[in-house]
Amino acid sequence: MDIFNYDRRVSSVTNIGGVLLGGENPIRIQSMTDTSTRDIEASVKQVLDIADAGADYVRLTTQGVLEVDALAVIRTSLRERGNHTPLIADIHFNPNVADAAAKITDKIRINPGNFTDSARVFKIIEYTDESYQEEIDRLEKRFIQLLDICKEHNTALRIGVNHGSLSDRIMSRYGDTPEGIAESCMEFLRVCKRENFENVALSIKASNTVVMVKSVRLLIDAMEKENMNYPLHLGVTEAGDGEDGRIKSAVGIGALLCDGIGDTIRVSLSEPPQNEVPVATALVNYISARKGHAKIEATPYEGYSYLNMERRPSFAIGNIGGDNAPIVICNGECSLSGSLKPDYTYNNSICYGDDINIPVIGIEDISSYNNSTEPLLLKLCYPQLSESVIEFISSHKNVTVLTYSNHINVVGELRAVAHTLTRNGCDNPIVLMLQYAENDKEALQIKSGADLGALLLDGVGNGVMILNNGNIDNNTITTIAFSALQAARLRTSKTEYISCPGCGRTLFDLQKTVARIKEATAHLVGLKIGIMGCIVNGPGEMADADYGYVGAARGKISLYKGKECIEKNIPEDEAVERLLKFIEEDSSYN
């Protein structure tokens, strides 16, 4: 892995209804309907809407044989209307449904966490090596039956692991870890390889971007060790809506795309599914433009591991670096207060803080610097990082490096600054100064989220400063910076919502419910609330949330504290109020 230069990972090619995935093919865009698959006309209309927005593939939930029959009718109806978008059947809990769907559609998605294993109940099971292998043998026997059907009908397969629905078997052996997530996928891939089934794609998704990115990196490493190179589908599940959903998706998906990883993506928003497509397209286009860029010559520092994702070592200068959360600098005045107030305001070569003002100099000012011991910001880009500049930085423990890039691969050059400094014994803090020229807020969210995701999740950056030469106000820019830090799990500045995008399984009006819960809880900074349309990932993702709201049946809601269900089957019209009352009364939060 060359962390400084962009190049697409080379994968095998999978044929999904004639639209090829992987290899040298474009990064494909996909989405998923949120209609009931049994509602044929509504589903046909939504597939057309998603396809018109630019999606290459569309997925539909397929709970049972009635949905399989409906999917066959939907596919025929679309073809009669001249639409040939490949359709993907989404299967959970029932391998017999997967068998049936594999006979009538272009691709099926199965979830290793519930293909043959029962639904997750968070029970620890003690396995011997022999008893664990017996479970693997049972899985393989049933899985081969499905692969034979896929071969016969030329149906592609996606092995889609979700952090929220890992089986109790995997959890008992590996724990709730990225290593366990990757192994959950590898168990199925080994069967595919032995059975010479190549028409396969993979995904690992989580609402936690750190878990998602590390798990994918570990999966690629595991595949390479076993001579596999299947194409990858990327996504941050339960990303939410609005700015949070866009930035969280850009941070997680963008971190991998920047390293050439990913053959198809879905941006999962708690919004109408066609809204996902332009966001995904903009993200792919932004990163793909780096192809063929001028090479960046740099070497990783000793001890760096792409798989471990550890923070770059740094010492503290005031509230910058060391164990401090990354700071936010606003380029000009900002009226935000509370947890969204920037740490510093930059104006006329000075960063103004509450208790300290820090001068900012360029490398041309080094020769006249008076060697004060007061904190100093040194602004530079990678081509300016000469031996004399490195010597100056290493000999001044009061210097924080404010680094920027004019290279099209901004991520590669900023990584090069960090690694070069560390290789030369400079553990000074680094503040990332990212430069854009956007008039559209969504474009800035996507681009800055992707760049910051790749840097922050790889351990680079003790602070963020976003400069934008466009018509976007400083309050909005500052909020984007804080949102990116929260999405990277480095600094919490607001309530976090883990809300699914909705699908045919959703048991309540997701978008209205998310809006109501947000309105009532936005002031609870640091709280994580899960809002899940159904039980598939609900309890699993509740483990990463403080409280959860999960569809249990039509018109019925179950409430969770962590992964523990505290109330079952509450009438939907009472559930939001009951959740809010529980949060208010819960002594562990207050």
Side-chain angles (χ1 to χ4, degrees):
M1 169 64 67
D2 184 346
I3 63 171
F4 306 110
N5 294 283
Y6 174 81
D7 198 16
R8 282 277 302 279
R9 166 183 171 265
V10 179
S11 73
S12 58
V13 176
T14 295
N15 186 350
I16 305 172
V19 180
L20 300 182
L21 173 69
E24 296 183 359
N25 294 289
I27 297 173
R28 304 296 188 182
I29 307 299
Q30 57 183 285
S31 185
M32 184 175 185
T33 60
D34 62 7
T35 54
S36 167
T37 306
R38 296 188 200 179
D39 189 338
I40 292 170
E41 282 305 310
S43 297
V44 166
K45 181 182 183 304
Q46 198 165 78
V47 170
L48 291 171
D49 289 343
I50 294 170
D52 287 345
D56 298 292
Y57 312 121
V58 178
R59 183 160 45 114
L60 298 90
T61 189
T62 315
Q63 299 100 305
V65 292
L66 292 177
E67 284 78 12
V68 173
D69 293 341
L71 181 57
V73 176
I74 291 166
R75 189 173 185 273
T76 299
S77 178
L78 288 165
R79 302 303 179 254
E80 289 173 348
R81 300 184 193 200
N83 181 280
H84 295 276
T85 302
L87 301 183
I88 303 165
D90 191 65
I91 315 291
H92 295 273
F93 301 117
N94 195 333
N96 294 329
V97 173
D99 290 347
K103 298 173 183 178
I104 58 91
T105 194
D106 303 293
K107 177 183 174 185
I108 59 170
R109 176 273 173 108
I110 61 168
N111 184 340
N114 55 41
F115 180 67
T116 57
D117 291 280
S118 58
R120 179 174 172 180
V121 294
F122 305 97
K123 181 173 69 173
I124 300 299
I125 306 168
E126 295 295 331
Y127 286 100
T128 64
D129 290 343
E130 291 77 13
S131 62
Y132 196 89
Q133 186 59 47
E134 288 175 2
E135 291 293 303
I136 297 297
D137 293 342
R138 179 175 64 87
L139 177 158
E140 290 186 3
K141 182 178 179 180
R142 184 62 185 85
F143 186 41
I144 289 171
Q145 179 180 322
L146 173 61
L147 293 182
D148 288 341
I149 295 172
C150 289
K151 289 178 184 178
E152 180 182 353
H153 294 272
N154 196 29
T155 305
L157 171 70
R158 172 180 150 205
I159 300 169
V161 180
N162 270 30
H163 181 211
S165 55
L166 289 177
S167 68
D168 287 329
R169 177 178 55 81
I170 283 287
M171 292 279 288
S172 297
R173 174 59 65 96
Y174 295 94
D176 190 6
T177 63
E179 289 78 8
I181 295 170
E183 179 61 22
S184 179
C185 191
M186 289 299 296
E187 288 179 349
F188 282 72
L189 284 183
R190 294 183 187 111
V191 182
C192 290
K193 185 176 181 180
R194 283 198 298 271
E195 295 298 310
N196 295 314
F197 184 81
E198 298 295 323
N199 211 24
V200 63
L202 322 168
S203 70
I204 286 178
K205 295 189 177 183
S207 63
N208 182 323
T209 59
V210 179
V211 171
M212 174 257 192
V213 170
K214 184 170 184 177
S215 299
V216 172
R217 290 182 177 186
L218 288 170
L219 174 63
I220 292 172
D221 183 65
M223 281 199 292
E224 289 176 349
K225 288 176 180 175
E226 299 189 31
N227 297 314
M228 302 175 187
N229 64 336
Y230 300 110
L232 286 160
H233 169 145
L234 305 182
V236 176
T237 192
E238 289 97 29
D241 64 354
E243 176 172 283
D244 292 337
R246 283 157 178 79
I247 292 179
K248 195 172 188 180
S249 295
V251 165
I253 299 171
L256 292 164
L257 288 179
C258 284
D259 289 332
I261 296 168
D263 302 284
T264 177
I265 74 168
R266 180 198 176 189
V267 172
S268 299
L269 301 176
S270 301
E271 299 178 19
Q274 56 269 30
N275 289 12
E276 299 176 349
V277 179
V279 178
T281 302
L283 180 56
V284 166
N285 290 344
Y286 177 58
I287 305 300
S288 297
R290 300 172 188 187
K291 182 179 180 180
H293 67 70
K295 188 172 183 180
I296 300 167
E297 299 287 351
T299 303
Y301 63 78
E302 185 177 354
Y304 167 78
S305 170
Y306 185 72
L307 299 180
N308 290 341
M309 295 172 59
E310 295 176 347
R311 302 298 299 164
R312 170 187 170 270
S314 67
F315 53 79
I317 301 175
N319 65 340
I320 309 175
D323 294 328
N324 292 301
I327 64 163
V328 172
I329 301 176
C330 179
N331 182 35
E333 294 301 319
C334 172
S335 62
L336 294 173
S337 60
S339 60
L340 291 174
K341 180 183 176 181
D343 301 279
Y344 295 92
T345 298
Y346 178 73
N347 194 354
N348 293 327
S349 299
I350 299 287
C351 274
Y352 297 93
D354 285 341
D355 302 316
I356 188 172
N357 297 332
I358 306 178
V360 181
I361 67 170
I363 61 167
E364 66 278 2
D365 302 313
I366 287 177
S367 59
S368 60
Y369 180 64
N370 62 8
N371 288 325
S372 166
T373 58
E374 295 299 312
L376 179 72
L377 278 163
L378 176 62
K379 180 180 173 182
L380 57 82
C381 59
Y382 185 54
Q384 297 175 323
L385 203 56
S386 63
E387 289 185 10
S388 60
V389 172
I390 291 172
E391 183 180 352
F392 175 83
I393 295 169
S394 66
S395 61
H396 289 80
K397 302 304 181 184
N398 60 322
V399 168
T400 294
V401 175
L402 177 64
T403 184
Y404 66 95
S405 172
N406 295 318
H407 197 286
I408 190 170
N409 186 5
V410 57
V411 168
E413 267 211 343
L414 295 183
R415 280 175 169 168
V417 171
H419 283 262
T420 301
L421 287 176
T422 303
R423 284 181 59 244
N424 285 277
C426 302
D427 290 341
N428 302 61
I430 293 175
V431 174
L432 306 170
M433 187 172 83
L434 301 177
Q435 305 172 105
Y436 305 96
E438 303 297 332
N439 293 317
D440 179 70
K441 178 175 67 173
E442 181 174 277
L444 185 61
Q445 293 166 348
I446 293 167
K447 292 181 179 183
S448 62
D451 291 331
L452 285 171
L455 292 160
L456 295 171
L457 293 180
D458 204 36
V460 174
N462 305 105
V464 175
M465 179 180 179
I466 298 176
L467 276 66
N468 185 63
N469 184 19
N471 297 323
I472 302 176
D473 64 90
N474 283 343
N475 284 5
T476 298
I477 295 170
T478 300
T479 302
I480 289 172
F482 276 112
S483 294
L485 288 172
Q486 180 150 330
R489 299 298 177 105
L490 290 172
R491 181 169 178 173
T492 299
S493 55
K494 54 187 175 180
T495 315
E496 182 170 346
Y497 301 94
I498 304 169
S499 63
C500 73
C503 68
R505 296 175 184 269
T506 303
L507 296 167
F508 55 86
D509 189 322
L510 182 71
Q511 294 166 37
K512 288 183 179 178
T513 302
V514 170
R516 287 180 63 197
I517 293 175
K518 276 190 166 185
E519 183 180 7
T521 60
H523 63 290
L524 301 175
V525 174
L527 200 68
K528 294 197 288 287
I529 300 176
I531 309 165
M532 304 293 166
C534 73
I535 205 68
V536 170
N537 293 318
E541 297 299 351
M542 294 307 99
D544 197 42
D546 299 296
Y547 303 99
Y549 180 107
V550 181
R554 188 63 61 185
K556 299 291 184 180
I557 306 298
S558 291
L559 302 181
Y560 285 76
K561 179 180 179 181
K563 61 186 179 183
E564 177 187 357
C565 185
I566 52 176
E567 288 194 71
K568 294 182 178 180
N569 298 319
I570 303 167
E572 182 183 345
D573 58 0
E574 302 175 12
V576 172
E577 286 71 21
R578 296 270 278 274
L579 173 65
L580 299 177
K581 183 178 179 182
F582 182 79
I583 293 172
E584 183 180 343
E585 295 176 349
D586 186 10
S587 59
S588 67
Y589 175 71
N590 295 316

